Amino acid sequence: MQQLPIDLWNNIFSFLPTLDLCAPCFTSKILRDAACRTLDSHNTDIIHWHRYRKQLPTHNMEVVKWWRIAVREPTREEVMEATRSDQLDVVELLGWDDTELSLRHRTITRTHLCAPAWCAGDILFMAVANGSKKIITAVHERKNVVEALNEGLSNPYCMYNPLFGEEEDLEMMQWLCNEHVEGLPSVQWPVRLFEKIYSVGFRLAERGHRRVIAKLMQRIKMDDVKGSNMYNGAGQGGRIDMLLWLEENNVPYDPEHIQLFYFVSSMSTFEWALSHGVLPSHYLPFNDREEGTYEDALRVGCIENQFDLPTDVLCNPEITHADVEVVRSAIDDGYITRETMLQLPLLSTRDRFEMIQWMHERELLHENICLFVYRWDNVHIMSWLVERGYAIHDGDWIHSCAAIASPDLLLWLIETYDKGDEEMYDMLVKQAPWGPFNLPSMEFLLQRKWNESEEEVKTWMDDKPEEYLDVEWMTYLWENGRSL
Amino acid sequence: MASESISVTTSDDQTIQLSRKHAQMSQTINSMLEDSVGADQEAIPLPNVSSEVLKKVIDWCTHHENDPAPVEKVKKLNKKREYKAKNSTISDEWDKNFVNAELRVIVDILLAANYLDVKGLFELMCKHIANELKGKTPDQIRERFGIQDDLTEEDKAAMRKAWGATKNDS
């Protein structure tokens, strides 16, 4: 068979999502180079793909077995993906919780040291959302689903779990309402089940799942707060039909519990909110210009209805996926000035440097912009800003920055602000008594102190015979290395 | 008046007639035709394409001869401005049967489509090979595509570090 040149592999790889570029990277030089070139083209930003966690493929057992040996241990993302795609065998291979992970990997993948990265409850939530009877039954066989659900609810991750998927699934709601459903275990759910999962109504309304909402309303006592939550969800989904349906079905609401910013995704929902007594609250988000919502919201809300936007509406705006054009129009309208402290953490990596440069050129960056930008963990952007006179104040700022910094940014802080390794390590230990440590940077400092290799220092993290790494152990390693 | 058929000579010295409509689906042949207007109509040499593969290309062109001209798609970012891979689904049933061939033949057709610059066919072959790669381990890819493992341990360690990174994108 003829071998393909690298350019053709690039064309082929343009049809593969990031996770499917993993195996080619370990196949041969030509495939690796083509895959890396494709990955580099995904981000035009100076942040490179190889610094950040990527979901690994879960297509089948073979490929999962391979990357568990050759690449790394699993994370929550892979377990949730295997659950989403109804692959019970892969879920079983990856683990029903994170207890089988090495101590280092478990520590690094947890958001909260005391809470597992995933548990049977998380898997149950995802299985319900995807209607996977096979996985729900498997959860039940391992652990009663009611118990699993309670376990899931105590996990901070579940707060973000939708429970119901994109597709309307009345059968799952019937099961959660204690009705018999073929293929699922008979369960008596707690009476207050849906009150614990507070975002259910919001998500269902956002997706327009009327039959499921009707069933839900038979199960829970509807009040202004729960009802308003559904109206907010319908607004977020841009569903005027859903708003009208909620009204027709006498779902109660209180304008004070309805947030106008949920309603800016379409003009019809925005006008519905205004005509129902909803007033501008904290801020109006900057959405994508293609939707026109920012300008429409301002026009209808502020011009036609003669609202005076509160002075703080745009002094702290959160720009999520706005493009330069949207921000430009806000500047032209006088809503962004040099006094504006932009919230940019959710801005995509593609847009960040472009936005920073663009605003700097127009002298619109707040003098304390570094206070927000450090969260991007991007040494190039930070040094670019500092070189242009934007300050990082000593003390808390540097500590906050170091707490999330990758080794390259940490080294830049040490060298630029004349910090000692010990001071930084001590701060990193103290910054994270409950949350996860910034382990890569702590390992980097340990390497420097004990003149050991990266791989050697990593092994030190797995020596502790406890569930997770703690302050005592990390302090011990700094003081003694792993000599004893 | 231009002739309704074009002669081409393949790498194995076969002379094959193809309709002008099919010939014009290849940007490469089309350019050659434009360059040779007024000249004696000799067979166009296609030294990189065998007769077996060219017949496959003609089959594909025949099935797709009434398709609208392909539009050059600009790589678009989704709402969150994140990269999204192109859709690799092959929806045309005839195309699904067409790619149901030995991988050796598929690769030859891909190379021919690239040389002849037949966009739709090239894209179809890329999609098919991309789908072949999905869910395969490096060993399986090497075996399927006859590729040698020329990566050093250092190369693999570097990739292990890149793909094993545990820091979340902020």
Side-chain angles (χ1 to χ4, degrees):
Chain A
M1 184 162 61
Q2 294 192 64
Q3 297 301 310
L4 296 174
I6 191 166
D7 287 345
L8 293 195
W9 281 114
N10 274 129
N11 281 292
I12 292 164
F13 289 163
S14 68
F15 290 94
L16 292 178
T18 300
L19 59 84
D20 285 317
L21 294 171
C22 179
C25 284
F26 291 85
T27 300
S28 71
K29 285 184 177 170
I30 194 165
L31 263 68
R32 176 203 62 187
D33 292 346
C36 289
R37 196 193 280 179
T38 306
L39 286 159
D40 284 340
S41 74
H42 292 191
N43 276 308
T44 54
D45 197 341
I46 44 182
I47 293 177
H48 295 304
W49 60 271
H50 49 76
R51 290 187 57 177
Y52 296 101
R53 186 153 92 204
K54 293 154 287 292
Q55 189 181 314
L56 298 180
T58 54
H59 300 291
N60 56 48
M61 292 286 276
E62 285 303 305
V63 79
V64 174
K65 281 179 187 168
W66 163 71
W67 60 250
R68 283 189 73 200
I69 294 167
V71 183
R72 65 159 165 75
E73 297 171 77
T75 62
R76 175 186 171 84
E77 287 85 355
E78 286 101 22
V79 177
M80 291 299 113
E81 180 53 35
T83 307
R84 195 180 353 258
S85 52
D86 200 22
Q87 292 170 279
L88 177 59
D89 54 349
V90 174
V91 172
E92 284 179 333
L93 180 66
L94 296 176
W96 292 94
D97 56 37
D98 70 355
T99 52
E100 296 300 314
L101 300 180
S102 69
L103 192 54
R104 179 181 186 277
H105 191 71
R106 193 186 312 152
T107 302
I108 217 164
T109 50
R110 285 184 174 188
T111 300
H112 303 276
L113 277 180
C114 305
W118 74 88
C119 62
D122 294 319
I123 294 171
L124 175 67
F125 267 69
M126 183 60 79
V128 171
N130 287 279
S132 172
K133 293 180 179 177
K134 187 169 61 179
I135 293 182
I136 293 170
T137 305
V139 171
H140 192 60
E141 284 167 0
R142 293 182 55 81
K143 176 181 272 188
N144 183 290
V145 283
V146 177
E147 196 184 323
L149 182 109
N150 282 327
E151 182 189 53
L153 287 172
S154 65
N155 190 339
Y157 282 115
C158 266
M159 188 183 295
Y160 307 107
N161 208 318
L163 191 60
F164 289 93
E166 294 296 329
E167 300 297 322
E168 185 163 27
D169 189 345
L170 184 60
E171 201 177 42
M172 277 300 150
M173 179 55 92
Q174 287 168 331
W175 183 59
L176 293 170
C177 290
N178 298 334
E179 292 178 17
H180 175 73
V181 171
E182 191 67 34
L184 289 174
S186 293
V187 178
Q188 283 297 310
W189 294 102
V191 176
R192 293 167 65 85
L193 169 68
F194 292 109
E195 296 189 11
K196 290 180 179 175
I197 311 166
Y198 63 87
S199 63
V200 164
F202 183 98
R203 295 293 172 212
L204 291 173
E206 182 184 12
R207 291 163 185 169
H209 295 180
R210 297 178 196 188
R211 290 183 306 150
V212 174
I213 289 177
K215 192 78 191 167
L216 176 68
M217 290 195 299
Q218 293 170 13
R219 172 80 169 157
I220 62 171
K221 189 173 183 303
M222 194 55 68
D223 58 25
D224 284 355
V225 175
K226 294 191 189 82
S228 299
N229 204 21
M230 288 191 194
Y231 284 93
N232 282 331
Q236 169 107 329
R239 295 181 178 276
I240 186 67
D241 59 326
M242 196 67 218
L243 290 167
L244 298 176
W245 184 87
L246 290 169
E247 278 192 293
E248 283 166 15
N249 286 274
N250 302 314
V251 175
Y253 68 92
D254 180 344
E256 287 194 6
H257 291 132
I258 294 183
Q259 309 290 332
L260 189 61
F261 60 79
Y262 285 127
F263 290 77
V264 297
S265 60
S266 83
M267 278 302 292
S268 57
T269 56
F270 191 75
E271 284 171 335
W272 181 94
L274 293 174
S275 66
H276 286 70
V278 180
L279 296 171
S281 48
H282 307 298
Y283 69 95
L284 295 172
F286 287 61
N287 285 341
D288 198 302
R289 186 181 177 84
E290 284 175 21
E291 296 179 3
T293 53
Y294 159 71
E295 286 166 293
D296 286 343
L298 287 179
R299 181 174 60 75
V300 176
C302 308
I303 300 171
E304 294 179 6
N305 289 281
Q306 297 184 319
F307 288 159
D308 285 328
L309 284 170
T311 53
D312 63 347
V313 164
L314 295 180
C315 79
N316 223 351
E318 184 171 277
I319 298 186
T320 53
H321 29 270
D323 61 20
V324 166
E325 285 302 308
V326 176
V327 177
R328 190 199 304 271
S329 66
I331 291 166
D332 291 344
D333 292 340
Y335 291 113
I336 291 180
T337 70
R338 200 169 182 185
E339 302 308 310
T340 306
M341 178 61 92
L342 292 172
Q343 300 274 356
L344 302 165
L346 297 176
L347 205 58
S348 80
T349 52
R350 299 183 69 91
D351 296 331
R352 290 172 178 173
F353 196 43
E354 179 192 11
M355 182 71 83
I356 288 290
Q357 286 177 305
W358 190 86
M359 295 195 70
H360 168 74
E361 285 162 11
R362 284 151 188 80
E363 299 185 346
L364 283 164
L365 278 184
H366 193 284
E367 60 179 345
N368 291 338
I369 189 69
C370 290
L371 187 58
F372 288 91
V373 167
Y374 79 77
R375 292 177 190 145
W376 296 345
D377 186 23
N378 185 321
V379 68
H380 302 286
I381 296 180
M382 284 297 282
S383 56
W384 189 90
L385 285 168
V386 169
E387 283 165 15
R388 281 154 186 79
Y390 298 98
I392 293 186
H393 299 298
D394 205 351
D396 289 349
W397 280 39
I398 289 181
H399 289 181
S400 302
C401 183
I404 55 94
S406 289
D408 61 345
L409 181 58
L410 186 75
L411 186 60
W412 178 79
L413 286 170
I414 288 169
E415 290 174 349
T416 307
Y417 296 97
D418 197 23
K419 296 289 173 188
D421 282 17
E422 184 156 8
E423 179 194 345
M424 295 305 250
Y425 189 88
D426 187 49
M427 184 279 303
L428 287 172
V429 169
K430 287 175 179 162
Q431 283 264 328
W434 306 112
F437 291 110
N438 181 356
L439 219 45
S441 284
M442 294 174 87
E443 288 169 346
F444 170 72
L445 293 171
L446 286 168
Q447 286 168 44
R448 278 161 62 99
K449 171 158 183 177
W450 297 104
N451 198 25
E452 292 283 2
S453 70
E454 185 179 346
E455 289 308 311
E456 169 62 22
V457 170
K458 278 182 183 175
T459 65
W460 297 357
M461 304 302 148
D462 287 326
D463 288 349
K464 188 174 184 293
E466 302 281 339
E467 189 189 353
Y468 51 81
L469 299 169
D470 56 17
V471 169
E472 191 183 349
W473 181 252
M474 298 310 292
T475 306
Y476 170 85
L477 289 177
W478 181 258
E479 289 170 354
N480 302 284
R482 196 67 192 106
S483 54
L484 296 176
Chain B
M1 186 179 162
S3 164
E4 284 309 304
S5 66
I6 309 292
S7 295
V8 295
T9 311
T10 58
S11 61
D12 49 343
D13 264 343
Q14 300 281 313
T15 300
I16 293 177
Q17 297 288 318
L18 61 160
S19 73
R20 181 167 288 270
K21 189 171 187 178
H22 293 164
Q24 286 175 334
M25 290 170 80
S26 156
Q27 286 304 311
T28 304
I29 298 177
N30 208 21
S31 299
M32 288 176 176
L33 288 173
E34 284 171 2
D35 290 346
S36 64
V37 171
D40 291 340
Q41 288 296 309
E42 288 182 7
I44 294 173
L46 299 176
N48 295 339
V49 185
S50 70
S51 56
E52 180 197 0
V53 171
L54 184 62
K55 283 172 187 165
K56 288 277 187 190
V57 174
I58 295 169
D59 284 348
W60 185 87
C61 289
T62 305
H63 180 72
H64 290 279
E65 63 185 11
N66 295 321
D67 287 1
V71 178
E72 190 70 34
K73 285 182 185 163
V74 178
K75 187 167 75 175
K76 281 195 79 173
L77 299 172
N78 63 10
K79 189 177 170 185
K80 291 186 177 174
R81 293 175 64 73
E82 293 162 342
Y83 174 81
K84 198 166 186 295
K86 292 185 207 166
N87 184 356
S88 67
T89 307
I90 299 170
S91 45
D92 186 309
E93 285 301 320
W94 189 93
D95 281 349
K96 281 183 194 169
N97 285 328
F98 183 76
V99 296
N100 187 16
E102 273 183 57
L103 190 61
R104 174 189 63 80
V105 177
I106 295 291
V107 167
D108 286 347
I109 297 173
L110 171 69
L111 289 164
N114 183 47
Y115 171 69
L116 295 171
D117 198 1
V118 183
K119 286 196 170 52
L121 179 59
F122 179 73
E123 188 164 283
L124 174 66
M125 294 298 113
C126 286
K127 281 183 183 183
H128 177 67
I129 295 176
N131 291 334
E132 279 280 321
L133 290 166
K134 283 183 185 171
K136 287 197 169 58
T137 65
D139 280 344
Q140 290 167 333
I141 294 172
R142 281 193 286 267
E143 189 182 339
R144 185 86 177 98
F145 290 85
I147 296 169
Q148 293 293 313
D149 181 3
D150 56 356
L151 292 165
T152 64
E153 280 310 309
E154 288 75 28
D155 291 334
K156 288 178 185 172
M159 281 298 104
R160 197 173 299 124
K161 189 170 179 181
W163 282 93
T166 45
K167 189 176 180 67
N168 277 319
D169 192 356
S170 53

